[in-house]
Amino acid sequence: MIEVVSESRCVSCNQCVSVCPTNVFDRGDDGIPVIARQDECQTCFMCELYCPVDALYVAPDSEQIIGITEREAEQQGLLGGYREKVGWGKGRTPVASHDYMYQLSKFAKF
Ligand code: SF4
Ligand code: SF4
């Protein structure tokens, strides 16, 4: 479940608003997205993956809101944590690149 939009990290690109399949966010007046329909979140992690500055935290629990604050998420290194684990972002290596089938597909002729 989406839990945190970091106001200090957000650069107001609205990528998260665009990619969310269930329209969880509203565009904020100050440019920072607002979690307007949290109960509609499907825990798909798309918003966190597409956030270029690791300003979002999606908790793995899809059923309950844990109510973590931005400060707590920052202190625990949770902001953009899923994105980091899958290797998305500048200077990271996507985990898919370690997959044998992915490597083979680069040589396949279709
Ligand atoms: S995790 Fe998925 S459904 Fe939930 S807010 Fe992010 S993009 Fe929307
Ligand atoms: S994707 Fe990240 S930086 Fe862009 S508006 Fe959403 S939270 Fe802010």
Side-chain angles (χ1 to χ4, degrees), residues 29 32 37 39 53 67 71:
D29 292 337
I32 298 171
R37 289 163 290 279
D39 57 336
V53 290
R71 184 183 171 85

Side-chain angles (χ1 to χ4, degrees), residues 1-3 16 19-25 35 37-38 40-48 56 58-59:
M1 184 94 63
I2 178 70
E3 291 281 346
C16 55
V19 300
C20 178
T22 53
N23 196 28
V24 165
F25 301 99
I35 301 171
R37 289 163 290 279
Q38 194 170 16
E40 296 292 317
C41 176
Q42 297 183 346
T43 318
C44 69
F45 293 94
M46 289 290 282
C47 55
E48 193 181 307
L56 297 174
V58 179

Side-chain angles (χ1 to χ4, degrees), residues 4-6 9-17 19 25 31-33 47-48 50-56:
V4 175
V5 178
S6 168
R9 291 191 182 198
C10 178
V11 293
S12 303
C13 69
N14 279 314
Q15 285 266 44
C16 55
V17 179
V19 300
F25 301 99
I32 298 171
C47 55
E48 193 181 307
Y50 278 88
C51 177
V53 290
D54 292 335
L56 297 174

Side-chain angles (χ1 to χ4, degrees), residues 23-99:
N23 196 28
V24 165
F25 301 99
D26 280 343
R27 294 170 198 260
D29 292 337
D30 57 0
I32 298 171
V34 176
I35 301 171
R37 289 163 290 279
Q38 194 170 16
D39 57 336
E40 296 292 317
C41 176
Q42 297 183 346
T43 318
C44 69
F45 293 94
M46 289 290 282
C47 55
E48 193 181 307
L49 285 169
Y50 278 88
C51 177
V53 290
D54 292 335
L56 297 174
Y57 173 53
V58 179
D61 191 330
S62 61
E63 301 295 329
Q64 296 184 31
I65 297 168
I66 60 175
I68 190 170
T69 65
E70 176 181 349
R71 184 183 171 85
E72 290 167 339
E74 180 83 63
Q75 287 174 338
Q76 295 173 40
L78 296 173
L79 291 169
Y82 179 76
R83 185 167 179 262
E84 181 181 14
K85 281 190 175 58
V86 300
W88 281 33
K90 199 172 180 180
R92 296 173 181 156
T93 304
V95 290
S97 66
H98 302 300
D99 181 81

